[in-house]
C-alpha cells in the first residue's frame, strides 16, 4: 500500500534548503528549454523570449492567433475573458 508522508511548507525555502534551491534551478532550466523548443514549433508566440512572465508581444500573439490549449492556462488573466471559439483557434 501507499504511505502518507508528512510535509511542511518552508517560506523562502530556496534560500534555506539546498534541495529546494536545486529543484528550483532545474525547473527553470527545464522550462526555458521547453519554451525554446515550442518557439521552433510556434514562432508567432515568441516563446524564446518568455521567461515565465509574458511579454506584451506574447499577449498580442495570443490575442491574434489564439492560445495554445496545451500551454496557456485559462486562469491566466489576459485569457480569462476569452470565449470557447477564441480558445479553439489553435485547438
Amino acid at each position: 500500500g501507499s504511505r502518507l508522508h508528512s510535509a511542511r511548507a518552508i517560506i523562502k525555502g530556496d534560500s534555506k534548503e539546498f534541495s529546494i534551491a536545486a529543484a528550483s534551478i532545474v525547473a527553470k532550466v527545464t522550462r526555458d528549454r521547453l519554451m525554446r523548443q515550442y518557439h521552433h514549433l510556434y514562432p508567432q508566440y515568441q516563446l524564446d523570449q518568455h521567461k515565465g512572465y509574458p511579454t506584451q508581444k506574447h499577449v498580442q500573439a495570443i490575442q491574434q492567433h489564439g492560445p495554445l490549449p496545451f500551454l496557456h492556462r485559462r486562469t491566466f488573466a489576459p485569457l480569462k475573458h476569452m470565449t470557447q471559439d477564441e480558445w479553439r483557434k489553435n485547438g
Side-chain angles (χ1 to χ4, degrees):
S2 67
R3 292 178 161 184
L4 295 177
H5 296 278
S6 64
R8 62 185 169 93
I10 302 174
I11 297 169
K12 298 194 183 271
D14 58 341
S15 65
K16 297 176 182 176
E17 294 287 337
F18 176 77
S19 60
I20 297 173
S24 177
I25 292 167
V26 168
K28 289 174 186 172
V29 169
T30 300
R31 182 204 57 225
D32 290 348
R33 286 179 182 164
L34 282 170
M35 290 298 112
R36 285 192 299 273
Q37 290 175 358
Y38 287 141
H39 173 73
H40 291 293
L41 297 171
Y42 306 99
Q44 67 271 30
Y45 291 94
Q46 300 181 4
L47 295 169
D48 59 334
Q49 301 299 312
H50 193 293
K51 302 297 180 194
Y53 301 96
T55 64
Q56 175 93 19
K57 288 182 179 181
H58 181 73
V59 173
Q60 289 170 346
I62 294 170
Q63 292 168 343
Q64 181 179 356
H65 303 288
L68 296 168
F70 67 90
L71 185 64
H72 296 108
R73 293 171 292 140
R74 288 181 180 267
T75 57
F76 174 50
L79 306 182
K80 284 183 180 181
H81 69 283
M82 293 182 83
T83 66
Q84 283 293 106
D85 289 338
E86 290 171 312
W87 268 93
R88 288 189 185 116
K89 280 185 187 179
N90 280 313

